[in-house]
Amino acid sequence: MNDKSCQIFNIFALLKKLGALNKERVGQFGLNHYEVFILYDIYENKVISQKDLVEKLKAPKQTINSIVMSLKERDLLTMVSDENDKRQKNMTLTDKGKEEINKISSYLSKSDKEIYNYLGKDKIREIENNLNELIKALETNIKKEGI
């Protein structure tokens, strides 16, 4: 592996570590990061379909369906048929789901604020811009290579 490849590999290793730390952060609530994202997304949008979640998370349908079914079994969300398309199921939070996401959101807001204050506005903006550039470069490379 040459120096350039090694540096890119190290960036992906750091991103993996970052993801693992975030997973640990939300894991204290007995949920994984996908479950938290789904609950939070429903909370923000009030209603969302599994199809929308598949597109947002770039995850396989079966993965999303398994997570949704698990959240439903734990009485954190409910599913109802879409008024316009009875084949499509939309999800909404149950009262228990709302309580859970409020608790999680409160903790994450405090945690995120501490991280933001530690890094500062300029560093946060720089990290965000750099990650967006990395995503763009990777997407371009994948399209170019036909992967």
Side-chain angles (χ1 to χ4, degrees):
M1 194 180 284
N2 63 37
D3 285 345
K4 291 177 184 175
S5 292
C6 192
Q7 286 179 310
I8 297 299
F9 182 83
N10 286 339
I11 289 171
F12 286 111
L14 288 170
L15 290 171
K16 183 173 170 90
K17 184 175 182 176
L18 184 64
L21 287 169
N22 191 52
K23 184 177 178 181
E24 183 179 327
R25 185 171 77 140
V26 299
Q28 65 186 313
F29 296 99
L31 299 166
N32 67 42
H33 59 284
Y34 278 131
E35 292 169 327
V36 170
F37 179 86
I38 289 170
L39 290 175
Y40 190 77
D41 209 19
I42 296 169
Y43 176 77
E44 287 293 307
N45 294 295
K46 308 300 180 219
V47 175
I48 194 165
S49 72
Q50 285 190 46
K51 181 181 177 186
D52 292 335
L53 288 173
V54 167
E55 291 172 13
K56 280 185 177 187
L57 292 171
K58 304 287 187 226
K61 279 190 226 181
Q62 188 55 47
T63 300
I64 299 301
N65 187 60
S66 295
I67 294 167
V68 166
M69 290 299 120
S70 173
L71 292 170
K72 185 178 176 200
E73 287 172 12
R74 291 185 276 173
D75 192 35
L76 297 173
L77 63 80
T78 186
M79 298 174 70
V80 293
S81 294
D82 187 89
E83 293 177 10
N84 300 322
D85 183 355
K86 298 298 180 194
R87 296 170 297 164
Q88 181 173 301
K89 301 289 186 200
N90 292 322
M91 297 165 287
T92 60
L93 293 179
T94 62
D95 288 340
K96 183 178 175 183
K98 289 175 188 172
E99 285 177 32
E100 193 66 23
I101 202 61
N102 281 330
K103 183 172 48 173
I104 293 166
S105 182
S106 175
Y107 167 77
L108 291 179
S109 290
K110 181 179 180 237
S111 176
D112 289 347
K113 185 177 179 181
E114 289 173 8
I115 294 167
Y116 188 94
N117 289 339
Y118 176 82
L119 294 170
K121 182 171 87 172
D122 292 339
K123 186 60 109 177
I124 292 288
R125 187 176 294 126
E126 181 183 351
I127 292 168
E128 186 177 17
N129 289 338
N130 288 337
L131 287 173
N132 280 321
E133 282 296 312
L134 178 60
I135 289 167
K136 186 177 174 181
L138 186 57
E139 286 173 340
T140 300
N141 182 262
I142 289 171
K143 287 177 187 171
K144 185 179 98 182
E145 297 296 325
I147 299 172

